[in-house]
Amino acid sequence: MAITYDLVKQVSADLYEWSLKKVPDDTLNTMRAALETESGENAKKVLKFMLLSAERAEEEDRFLCSDAGVPVYVVKIGTAAQLDGDIKRAFADGFADLVERIDPPILKFVQNPLTNERSYQGKDMPIVSWDLKDGADYMEITCSPKALGAGRWAQLEIFVYPTLEDIEKYIMDCVIRAGSQHCPPVMIGVGIGGSFDHAAKMAKQATLRQLGSENPEPILADMERRLFKAINATGFGPMGQGGDTTALGIHIDYSAGHGFTPVAVCFNCWINRRTTARIFNSGTVERIE
Amino acid sequence: MSTTHRLALPLKDDDLARLEVGDLVYLDGEIVVTVGLPTHKRIAEYLDAGKKLPMDLAGGMLCQVGTFVEDIDGEPTSRYINPSTSTRFEPYLPTIIAGLKLKAVGGKGGVGPKTIDAMRQHGCVYLSFVGGASALTSEAVIKVVDVQWHDFITQFRLTKLRVEALGPLNVGVDIRGNSLYDQLTEAAKAKLPDIMAMLNRERGTSQ
C-alpha cells in the first residue's frame, strides 16, 4: 500500500471544497465566546449574523463566501511515508476535477498578474508549501485558500536588531492599516526572524494553529496575550461596525536568523478557511478538521 | 444610538437624509452588482463618452458584489452573492456616482476619499455587507432581472437583482460625507499611544 496519486488528488480537492463550506470549530467557538463579551450592540448583531450564516452554509452545503480565493496547501510528508505516482501533479489535477464537479460552481479567481486574465488554472496553482515530518507514515495536507479581501493586507518588513517593542509597534501599525477591510474578526499570523521567505511562511502557518492553544515559547505566549488585548482595544469590531472583537487571535512563530530580522504579518478573515487531513500508507484517510 | 431601517429601492431623498453612519439597513427592490474592475472602468468610459449603458442605473444602487448566475429551467438564477472590497474601485467610483447620480453604493470595507467626496456632493450613501456571510445574504435574492456585458467573466458582468430584506447592511458613509471607517481608523490611531504604553507596561520594558 502507498499514498497514491489518486488519493492525493481526491483528498486535496475535498479539503478545498470543505474549507469553502465550513468555518473551523475553534473559530466558531471563539466567535460564540466573543458574542458573550462584546459590548457593541451592532457588533453583536453582526457576530450573530455571521454565526447563523456559517451554520446555514454547513447545513445546506453552501459557500461561506462567494469568493473561493485560490487553493493554498501546506503539505507535510512523513519520512516513513510511501508515495506512489506524480504527487505534485495530483494537486493541480485535483483542483481541475473540483472545478468540474463542485456545486454550487466556483467563479474564476485564478489571475495571471501579468495580464490580469482570469481562469481556473495558472502557473504554480495550487500554491503548495512542502515540508517533511520525521518518522510519520502519512502525508498531512492542510488547505487554507486565500483571497484578496484578507490577502492584500499582509506585510513584511526587515528590521535590524529590533526590540520586542519595535516588533509590537509594527504589528499594531499593520493592524491599523488594514482597519476593517479584511472582514474582521481576523486571525492574525506573525513570523519573526529567519529569512525573508521563511518569515512569510511562518506567518501563514501560524494562522493554522488552533485557537486557544498555548504558544510553546513563553516569550511569544506572553506577546500573543498582550497583543490580542491591544488589537481588540483598537475598536474596529466585526466588519468595522465598531466593537471589542477585531481579532479572533494572534499567533506568532519565530526562527533563529542573522542580525536582520524580517517580521511578517498576515490575516485570515473571520471564516478562517482551514481544513486538514492525513493520508496513511495503508490508504486510510483521516479528516482532522 | 444606531437605528435599523427597512427601506425600498430606489432610495428616496428623505430616507437618505435619515441614515447615519453605524445604522443598519435592510433593502427591498433592485440592485445592480458586479465585482469587475474592468466593468467599473467601462461604465466610467461610457459616461465620459456620453454613451448609453445597457441597463438603467440612474439614481440606483451599484454594488461591488459578486454573483454566480446560471440558467436553471431556462431562468437565469443567482446561486450566491457576496461583497468585495470597495476601496479598490476608487479610480472609477467618483465618476460613476456623479454620472449616474447613484443613491447608494454597496460593498464591504468602505470607500476611498474621492468616492466619499462624490457621495457628499451627490447625496449617495455607502452600505457595507457582512463579508463571509454569503449563505444568509444570498437568501435575499428573489430574481435575476437582467445580465449585460456577457463578454466579461460571470462575476464581472452587470447583473440586476431583485432583493427582499437584503441585509443587515451597515451605513458606512452617509450623505453628509461622514465615514464610519475614517472615524474608526482615526480613533484607533488616537488610542495607539495608550495601547503602546499598555504593551510596554505588560512587557515590562520600553525604550
Side-chain angles (χ1 to χ4, degrees):
Chain A
M1 294 294 284
I3 298 162
T4 62
Y5 161 88
D6 285 338
L7 267 175
V8 173
K9 185 172 82 168
Q10 177 74 40
V11 170
S12 60
D14 285 347
L15 285 168
Y16 187 26
E17 179 171 4
W18 296 334
S19 76
L20 301 177
K21 295 176 172 174
K22 179 177 168 27
V23 176
D25 288 334
D26 65 339
T27 308
L28 290 174
N29 290 335
T30 302
M31 289 177 65
R32 288 185 190 115
L35 191 54
E36 298 299 312
T37 55
E38 173 62 59
S39 64
E41 280 309 308
N42 279 352
K44 276 189 202 171
K45 284 184 191 164
V46 171
L47 279 173
K48 276 185 199 160
F49 188 75
M50 288 170 164
L51 283 163
L52 273 174
S53 192
E55 285 163 18
R56 187 69 57 91
E58 192 175 345
E59 283 162 14
E60 298 189 359
D61 201 32
R62 285 155 63 182
F63 290 152
L64 300 160
C65 186
S66 63
D67 196 325
V70 295
V72 179
Y73 294 94
V74 175
V75 179
K76 291 180 181 165
I77 303 172
T79 51
Q82 293 170 347
L83 308 183
D84 178 12
D86 294 340
I87 298 299
K88 196 169 173 179
R89 188 165 56 85
F91 283 84
D93 292 353
F95 180 38
D97 273 8
L98 184 69
V99 167
E100 292 299 314
R101 73 169 157 85
I102 191 167
D103 187 75
I106 56 176
L107 293 157
K108 289 178 179 172
F109 290 113
V110 178
Q111 183 155 331
N112 180 329
L114 308 180
T115 62
N116 288 336
E117 281 172 275
R118 284 198 165 194
S119 81
Y120 288 116
Q121 54 192 332
K123 185 174 181 297
D124 294 348
M125 197 56 62
I127 297 165
V128 185
S129 295
W130 304 92
D131 202 350
L132 294 173
K133 195 161 191 167
D134 281 343
D137 65 342
Y138 56 82
M139 174 190 284
E140 183 177 285
I141 307 173
T142 296
C143 181
S144 172
K146 203 75 203 161
L148 175 152
R152 71 181 290 207
W153 299 104
Q155 288 197 85
L156 190 151
E157 190 162 323
I158 311 279
F159 292 83
V160 179
Y161 289 89
T163 61
L164 293 185
E165 182 180 6
D166 294 334
I167 292 170
E168 290 171 23
K169 174 68 167 50
Y170 176 65
I171 294 167
M172 291 307 299
D173 288 344
C174 293
V175 164
I176 289 175
R177 175 177 174 265
S180 56
Q181 295 202 57
H182 45 16
C183 292
V186 287
M187 178 70 233
I188 303 167
V190 180
I192 301 170
S195 56
F196 180 79
D197 53 321
H198 190 53
K201 196 193 238 184
M202 283 191 292
K204 167 74 182 177
Q205 296 193 12
T207 66
L208 306 177
R209 213 181 89 209
Q210 287 285 312
L211 280 158
S213 62
E214 178 81 359
N215 195 314
E217 165 53 53
I219 294 173
L220 294 184
D222 286 343
M223 193 192 278
E224 287 179 2
R225 271 188 282 274
R226 62 180 175 264
L227 277 169
F228 180 66
K229 265 203 303 194
I231 292 160
N232 283 331
T234 56
F236 289 105
M239 286 311 297
Q241 185 64 65
D244 316 314
T245 317
T246 302
L248 294 163
I250 173 165
H251 291 167
I252 310 172
D253 199 2
Y254 86 110
S255 161
H258 202 263
F260 74 104
T261 301
V263 179
V265 180
C266 67
F267 302 91
N268 287 349
C269 60
W270 71 270
I271 59 177
N272 203 21
R273 294 188 272 214
R274 180 191 75 213
T275 48
T276 300
R278 288 176 180 168
I279 310 173
F280 290 82
N281 282 342
S282 61
T284 307
V285 177
E286 180 190 356
R287 182 174 173 182
I288 309 289
E289 63 174 353
Chain B
M1 187 61 198
S2 155
T3 312
T4 300
H5 310 259
R6 177 92 183 241
L7 300 173
L9 291 162
L11 294 175
K12 297 177 193 67
D13 286 343
D14 56 340
D15 291 335
L16 288 159
R18 283 191 291 128
L19 295 179
E20 306 266 358
V21 289
D23 284 359
L24 295 179
V25 175
Y26 291 83
L27 297 174
D28 304 287
E30 290 181 354
I31 61 172
V32 175
V33 305
T34 176
V35 284
L37 203 58
T39 322
H40 283 71
K41 182 166 183 274
R42 189 183 288 177
I43 296 172
E45 285 167 355
Y46 269 51
L47 291 170
D48 282 341
K51 279 173 75 175
K52 192 174 182 311
L53 289 165
M55 67 173 67
D56 185 21
L57 275 150
M61 177 169 180
L62 175 68
C63 301
Q64 288 84 54
V65 161
T67 184
F68 190 103
V69 173
E70 64 180 351
D71 275 349
I72 298 179
D73 301 329
E75 277 289 307
T77 306
S78 165
R79 296 296 305 276
Y80 49 84
I81 65 167
N82 223 42
S84 185
T85 307
S86 299
T87 46
R88 63 196 178 96
F89 299 92
E90 176 79 353
Y92 307 113
L93 279 174
T95 303
I96 295 172
I97 290 165
L100 294 169
K101 304 286 184 286
L102 290 180
K103 295 296 179 193
V105 170
K108 76 169 179 75
V111 283
K114 288 181 182 160
T115 302
I116 294 172
D117 269 353
M119 288 181 162
R120 189 170 35 75
Q121 283 175 38
H122 299 284
C124 177
V125 292
Y126 177 75
L127 303 175
S128 180
F129 288 65
V130 177
S134 176
L136 281 189
T137 305
S138 302
E139 290 180 2
V141 178
I142 51 175
K143 188 177 170 58
V144 176
V145 179
D146 193 14
V147 182
Q148 293 292 337
W149 287 348
H150 288 268
D151 55 317
F152 287 136
I153 58 173
T154 312
Q155 68 267 43
F156 286 8
R157 293 172 190 158
L158 272 182
T159 303
K160 187 176 277 190
L161 303 173
R162 186 165 301 141
V163 296
E164 194 173 87
L166 176 70
L169 310 181
N170 171 16
V171 180
V173 179
D174 64 22
I175 57 166
R176 292 163 285 281
N178 298 306
S179 161
L180 181 62
Y181 310 96
D182 289 353
Q183 289 173 5
L184 288 167
T185 298
E186 288 313 309
K189 282 181 181 165
K191 285 181 214 162
L192 190 56
D194 284 346
I195 290 174
M196 286 311 301
M198 185 265 283
L199 286 167
N200 290 341
R201 252 193 332 271
E202 298 208 354
R203 193 188 322 107
T205 57
S206 80
Q207 285 78 37

